[in-house]
Structure formats: structure tokens, C-alpha cells
Amino acid sequence: MQSEYSTELRVNHLKCHFSLKIIAWQAKIIELIDKPNDVYYQIEFVYDKRRRWYVDRTFKEFCDLHSKLHKKIPNMPLLPEKYFFKPSFQQLQKRKVELEKYINVKN
């Protein structure tokens, strides 16, 4: 995936123009961290083939982000299903696979 973003920024009456070019990236959920009150998905982002960074996020954080993005991008892909009770190991594995597809969608 290759994307280029450009914008203008004003700081203290100074006008700055900057652009950001993302050459390639991929996200992979590398681990499920099951804590007593929540499950965290450890996500590895790889860009420019060798640079990496890691974040831990809950499913609720995915849902919150999705609802904010959906207001601006109505044709967002669907998130995996929510569960009323703590999901089983099999359900968590299924959700992991579906979340990985979700975070790697390319427009």
C-alpha cells in the first residue's frame, strides 16, 4: 500500500506545509494477552519492510475507533462480532483472525 498525505498547519501565525508518505505497511496481531478484566491484542506494525512498532489494544478500543471512523467513512468494513460474556479461547482466536483482516483493509 502506498499513500501520501499532505496538509497545511498554522502555528502561532506561521504557515507550514508538510506531507507524509507511507510507502508500505502491514499489521499483524502477534499475541493475545488475557488479563482478568480484559483481553489485549498485541499488534505489530511493519512499514518500509524493516521498521516496526507495537501496540496493545482491547476490542473495546477497536470498537471506539470504528465508531469514530464510521462517521467520516460510511463504507467501513464490519468489525468482528461482540460477545456479551467473556469469549472462549476459540472465539478469541476467530476474532484475532477477523481483526487482522480488518486492520489490513486497503482502500
Short mmCIF file of all heavy atoms in Angstrom, two decimals, residues 5-29:
data_model
loop_
_atom_site.label_atom_id
_atom_site.label_comp_id
_atom_site.label_asym_id
_atom_site.label_seq_id
_atom_site.Cartn_x
_atom_site.Cartn_y
_atom_site.Cartn_z
N TYR A 5 -0.05 11.80 2.17
CA TYR A 5 -0.92 12.74 2.85
C TYR A 5 -0.23 14.08 2.87
O TYR A 5 0.95 14.18 3.14
CB TYR A 5 -1.21 12.28 4.28
CG TYR A 5 -1.83 10.91 4.33
CD1 TYR A 5 -1.04 9.78 4.50
CD2 TYR A 5 -3.19 10.75 4.17
CE1 TYR A 5 -1.61 8.52 4.54
CE2 TYR A 5 -3.77 9.49 4.19
CZ TYR A 5 -2.97 8.39 4.37
OH TYR A 5 -3.53 7.14 4.40
N SER A 6 -0.99 15.11 2.59
CA SER A 6 -0.42 16.44 2.58
C SER A 6 -1.38 17.38 3.27
O SER A 6 -2.60 17.26 3.12
CB SER A 6 -0.20 16.87 1.13
OG SER A 6 0.43 18.12 1.08
N THR A 7 -0.86 18.29 4.04
CA THR A 7 -1.72 19.23 4.73
C THR A 7 -0.96 20.50 5.05
O THR A 7 0.25 20.58 4.89
CB THR A 7 -2.32 18.61 6.01
OG1 THR A 7 -3.35 19.45 6.49
CG2 THR A 7 -1.26 18.41 7.07
N GLU A 8 -1.71 21.47 5.50
CA GLU A 8 -1.12 22.73 5.89
C GLU A 8 -1.41 22.93 7.37
O GLU A 8 -2.48 22.59 7.85
CB GLU A 8 -1.78 23.84 5.07
CG GLU A 8 -1.07 25.15 5.13
CD GLU A 8 -1.67 26.12 4.14
OE1 GLU A 8 -1.30 26.08 2.96
OE2 GLU A 8 -2.55 26.88 4.57
N LEU A 9 -0.47 23.48 8.08
CA LEU A 9 -0.59 23.66 9.52
C LEU A 9 -0.22 25.08 9.87
O LEU A 9 0.76 25.63 9.37
CB LEU A 9 0.35 22.67 10.22
CG LEU A 9 0.45 22.72 11.73
CD1 LEU A 9 -0.87 22.32 12.36
CD2 LEU A 9 1.55 21.80 12.21
N ARG A 10 -1.02 25.70 10.74
CA ARG A 10 -0.70 27.04 11.23
C ARG A 10 -0.37 26.95 12.71
O ARG A 10 -1.14 26.43 13.49
CB ARG A 10 -1.87 27.99 11.02
CG ARG A 10 -2.11 28.32 9.59
CD ARG A 10 -3.24 29.33 9.46
NE ARG A 10 -3.51 29.61 8.08
CZ ARG A 10 -2.92 30.57 7.39
NH1 ARG A 10 -2.04 31.35 7.95
NH2 ARG A 10 -3.22 30.76 6.13
N VAL A 11 0.80 27.48 13.06
CA VAL A 11 1.23 27.52 14.46
C VAL A 11 1.70 28.94 14.74
O VAL A 11 2.64 29.43 14.10
CB VAL A 11 2.37 26.51 14.72
CG1 VAL A 11 2.82 26.57 16.17
CG2 VAL A 11 1.95 25.10 14.36
N ASN A 12 1.05 29.58 15.70
CA ASN A 12 1.42 30.96 16.06
C ASN A 12 1.57 31.85 14.83
O ASN A 12 2.58 32.52 14.64
CB ASN A 12 2.71 30.98 16.89
CG ASN A 12 2.52 30.29 18.22
OD1 ASN A 12 1.43 30.26 18.76
ND2 ASN A 12 3.59 29.73 18.74
N HIS A 13 0.59 31.84 13.98
CA HIS A 13 0.53 32.66 12.77
C HIS A 13 1.57 32.28 11.71
O HIS A 13 1.75 32.98 10.73
CB HIS A 13 0.65 34.16 13.10
CG HIS A 13 -0.36 34.61 14.08
ND1 HIS A 13 -1.71 34.65 13.79
CD2 HIS A 13 -0.24 35.02 15.36
CE1 HIS A 13 -2.37 35.08 14.84
NE2 HIS A 13 -1.50 35.32 15.82
N LEU A 14 2.30 31.20 11.93
CA LEU A 14 3.24 30.72 10.92
C LEU A 14 2.55 29.62 10.12
O LEU A 14 1.87 28.77 10.68
CB LEU A 14 4.50 30.15 11.56
CG LEU A 14 5.36 31.13 12.33
CD1 LEU A 14 6.49 30.38 13.03
CD2 LEU A 14 5.93 32.19 11.41
N LYS A 15 2.71 29.67 8.85
CA LYS A 15 2.08 28.68 7.99
C LYS A 15 3.13 27.66 7.58
O LYS A 15 4.18 28.02 7.06
CB LYS A 15 1.49 29.37 6.77
CG LYS A 15 0.66 28.47 5.90
CD LYS A 15 -0.26 29.29 5.05
CE LYS A 15 0.05 29.33 3.63
NZ LYS A 15 -0.86 30.02 2.77
N CYS A 16 2.85 26.40 7.85
CA CYS A 16 3.77 25.31 7.50
C CYS A 16 3.04 24.32 6.61
O CYS A 16 1.87 24.03 6.83
CB CYS A 16 4.25 24.57 8.74
SG CYS A 16 5.05 25.61 9.95
N HIS A 17 3.72 23.81 5.65
CA HIS A 17 3.15 22.78 4.79
C HIS A 17 4.01 21.53 4.97
O HIS A 17 5.23 21.60 4.97
CB HIS A 17 3.18 23.21 3.32
CG HIS A 17 2.57 22.20 2.42
ND1 HIS A 17 1.21 22.08 2.27
CD2 HIS A 17 3.12 21.25 1.65
CE1 HIS A 17 0.96 21.10 1.43
NE2 HIS A 17 2.11 20.58 1.04
N PHE A 18 3.35 20.41 5.18
CA PHE A 18 4.12 19.19 5.30
C PHE A 18 3.37 18.07 4.61
O PHE A 18 2.17 18.12 4.41
CB PHE A 18 4.42 18.83 6.76
CG PHE A 18 3.21 18.51 7.58
CD1 PHE A 18 2.79 17.20 7.71
CD2 PHE A 18 2.52 19.51 8.24
CE1 PHE A 18 1.68 16.89 8.47
CE2 PHE A 18 1.40 19.20 9.01
CZ PHE A 18 0.99 17.89 9.13
N SER A 19 4.12 17.07 4.22
CA SER A 19 3.49 15.88 3.64
C SER A 19 4.15 14.66 4.23
O SER A 19 5.30 14.69 4.65
CB SER A 19 3.61 15.88 2.11
OG SER A 19 4.94 15.87 1.73
N LEU A 20 3.38 13.61 4.28
CA LEU A 20 3.82 12.34 4.85
C LEU A 20 3.56 11.28 3.79
O LEU A 20 2.47 11.19 3.25
CB LEU A 20 3.03 12.05 6.12
CG LEU A 20 3.16 10.67 6.73
CD1 LEU A 20 4.58 10.46 7.26
CD2 LEU A 20 2.17 10.51 7.86
N LYS A 21 4.56 10.50 3.51
CA LYS A 21 4.40 9.44 2.53
C LYS A 21 4.64 8.10 3.21
O LYS A 21 5.71 7.88 3.79
CB LYS A 21 5.39 9.62 1.38
CG LYS A 21 5.14 8.71 0.22
CD LYS A 21 6.04 9.09 -0.94
CE LYS A 21 5.63 8.34 -2.17
NZ LYS A 21 6.43 8.74 -3.32
N ILE A 22 3.65 7.26 3.18
CA ILE A 22 3.77 5.92 3.73
C ILE A 22 3.93 4.98 2.55
O ILE A 22 3.04 4.85 1.72
CB ILE A 22 2.52 5.55 4.57
CG1 ILE A 22 2.37 6.53 5.72
CG2 ILE A 22 2.64 4.11 5.06
CD1 ILE A 22 1.09 6.35 6.50
N ILE A 23 5.07 4.35 2.48
CA ILE A 23 5.38 3.52 1.32
C ILE A 23 4.66 2.19 1.40
O ILE A 23 4.01 1.78 0.47
CB ILE A 23 6.90 3.34 1.19
CG1 ILE A 23 7.51 4.71 1.15
CG2 ILE A 23 7.24 2.43 0.04
CD1 ILE A 23 8.61 5.00 0.29
N ALA A 24 4.82 1.48 2.48
CA ALA A 24 4.18 0.18 2.63
C ALA A 24 4.05 -0.13 4.11
O ALA A 24 4.92 0.23 4.90
CB ALA A 24 5.00 -0.90 1.94
N TRP A 25 2.97 -0.79 4.48
CA TRP A 25 2.80 -1.20 5.87
C TRP A 25 1.95 -2.45 5.92
O TRP A 25 1.21 -2.76 4.99
CB TRP A 25 2.18 -0.09 6.71
CG TRP A 25 0.78 0.26 6.30
CD1 TRP A 25 0.42 1.20 5.38
CD2 TRP A 25 -0.43 -0.32 6.76
NE1 TRP A 25 -0.94 1.23 5.25
CE2 TRP A 25 -1.49 0.31 6.09
CE3 TRP A 25 -0.73 -1.31 7.68
CZ2 TRP A 25 -2.82 -0.03 6.31
CZ3 TRP A 25 -2.06 -1.63 7.90
CH2 TRP A 25 -3.08 -0.99 7.22
N GLN A 26 2.10 -3.15 7.00
CA GLN A 26 1.30 -4.33 7.26
C GLN A 26 1.14 -4.44 8.76
O GLN A 26 2.06 -4.12 9.51
CB GLN A 26 1.96 -5.59 6.71
CG GLN A 26 1.11 -6.81 6.94
CD GLN A 26 1.75 -8.07 6.39
OE1 GLN A 26 2.91 -8.08 6.01
NE2 GLN A 26 0.99 -9.13 6.34
N ALA A 27 -0.01 -4.87 9.19
CA ALA A 27 -0.26 -5.05 10.62
C ALA A 27 -0.60 -6.51 10.87
O ALA A 27 -1.30 -7.14 10.10
CB ALA A 27 -1.40 -4.15 11.07
N LYS A 28 -0.07 -7.01 11.97
CA LYS A 28 -0.32 -8.40 12.34
C LYS A 28 -0.54 -8.48 13.84
O LYS A 28 0.20 -7.87 14.61
CB LYS A 28 0.89 -9.25 11.95
CG LYS A 28 0.71 -10.71 12.23
CD LYS A 28 1.90 -11.50 11.73
CE LYS A 28 1.66 -12.98 11.97
NZ LYS A 28 2.74 -13.81 11.52
N ILE A 29 -1.56 -9.21 14.25
CA ILE A 29 -1.78 -9.44 15.67
C ILE A 29 -0.91 -10.62 16.06
O ILE A 29 -1.11 -11.73 15.59
CB ILE A 29 -3.26 -9.69 15.98
CG1 ILE A 29 -4.08 -8.46 15.59
CG2 ILE A 29 -3.45 -10.04 17.45
CD1 ILE A 29 -5.58 -8.62 15.72
#
